[in-house]
Amino acid sequence: VAIGIFLIQQDRGMDYSNPAYRRRIADQLEEAKEYVLRYKDHPAVIAWIIGNEVDRGNADVWYHVNEIAKFIKDNDPYHPTMVALANSDPVRIQYVRDRAPYVDILGIQSYRQIGNIHGNVLEAGWEGPYMITEWGPDGSFQAHKVNDFAPIEQPSHDKANLYYQRYQDYIVSE
């Protein structure tokens, strides 16, 4: 199991740059520490995923992620740390590289832009491993909408074709 450590996203009520949130950030760190200590010796643990698409526009979160990753390294040196990014923007990857050096693996979640991942990782100068942690046909957030409201879902055969095409083009071939 790659165990996820939940972190509040910037656009969901946490401001990692604002000193007024210092207590909430500290509480989140303590919860993460307790979680790691509780599960680090479980035989099913493979890795720790710190946050899920957590930066949402605020790169200061990576200092907090790094603090958690360092705690994991100090207390569980047997399991790697990773993060899950929404897409592979080279600037975001550079922030992880520069501000969170205790992160071992990039998890990248990408749909329509899956073909950009390898080049973006190289452009960002990431030298560690990375994995595609979410992919598939276009996400509902990328779909055309009826009256700018309800997403139009692709037919199942179109989704199946996109799965196959993207798997062949960007996973098998890379």
Side-chain angles (χ1 to χ4, degrees):
V1 174
I3 298 181
I5 297 174
F6 177 77
L7 300 179
I8 301 170
Q9 297 162 328
Q10 174 75 18
D11 62 347
R12 305 277 186 203
M14 182 70 85
D15 187 343
Y16 291 94
S17 300
N18 187 335
Y21 286 79
R22 194 170 293 141
R23 181 77 250 155
R24 288 184 73 194
I25 293 168
D27 290 346
Q28 189 169 252
L29 175 61
E30 288 308 310
E31 288 175 18
K33 289 178 177 180
E34 290 171 15
Y35 197 65
V36 169
L37 293 174
R38 183 177 322 130
Y39 294 108
K40 70 181 182 74
D41 296 319
H42 194 284
V45 174
I46 294 172
W48 297 97
I49 304 174
I50 306 167
N52 181 44
E53 301 179 5
V54 73
D55 68 319
R56 304 279 181 125
N58 186 342
D60 285 346
V61 71
W62 299 118
Y63 297 122
H64 181 57
V65 167
N66 193 57
E67 193 171 3
I68 294 170
K70 182 179 183 325
F71 177 84
I72 292 169
K73 292 289 183 201
D74 291 344
N75 291 277
D76 181 14
Y78 304 109
H79 301 108
T81 59
M82 62 182 289
V83 296
L85 300 176
N87 285 314
S88 60
D89 179 350
V91 172
R92 283 185 174 177
I93 296 171
Q94 289 169 354
Y95 282 137
V96 176
R97 184 195 68 206
D98 296 342
R99 297 178 181 199
Y102 286 97
V103 169
D104 299 311
I105 304 167
L106 287 179
I108 299 173
Q109 301 171 167
S110 187
Y111 294 85
R112 188 177 291 164
Q113 292 84 20
I114 190 171
N116 300 337
I117 292 174
H118 185 71
N120 288 349
V121 169
L122 293 176
E123 179 184 331
W126 179 262
E127 295 180 1
Y130 70 92
M131 64 175 78
I132 299 170
T133 49
E134 284 182 19
W135 70 280
D138 294 353
S140 60
F141 53 91
Q142 296 171 316
H144 296 291
K145 296 184 167 79
V146 174
N147 296 329
D148 292 326
F149 178 71
I152 302 170
E153 186 172 355
Q154 295 171 294
S156 296
H157 66 278
D158 288 350
K159 289 182 192 179
N161 288 338
L162 279 172
Y163 266 115
Y164 181 78
Q165 175 193 352
R166 290 175 180 170
Y167 179 76
Q168 293 298 322
D169 292 348
Y170 305 120
I171 296 178
V172 171
S173 70
E174 296 290 331

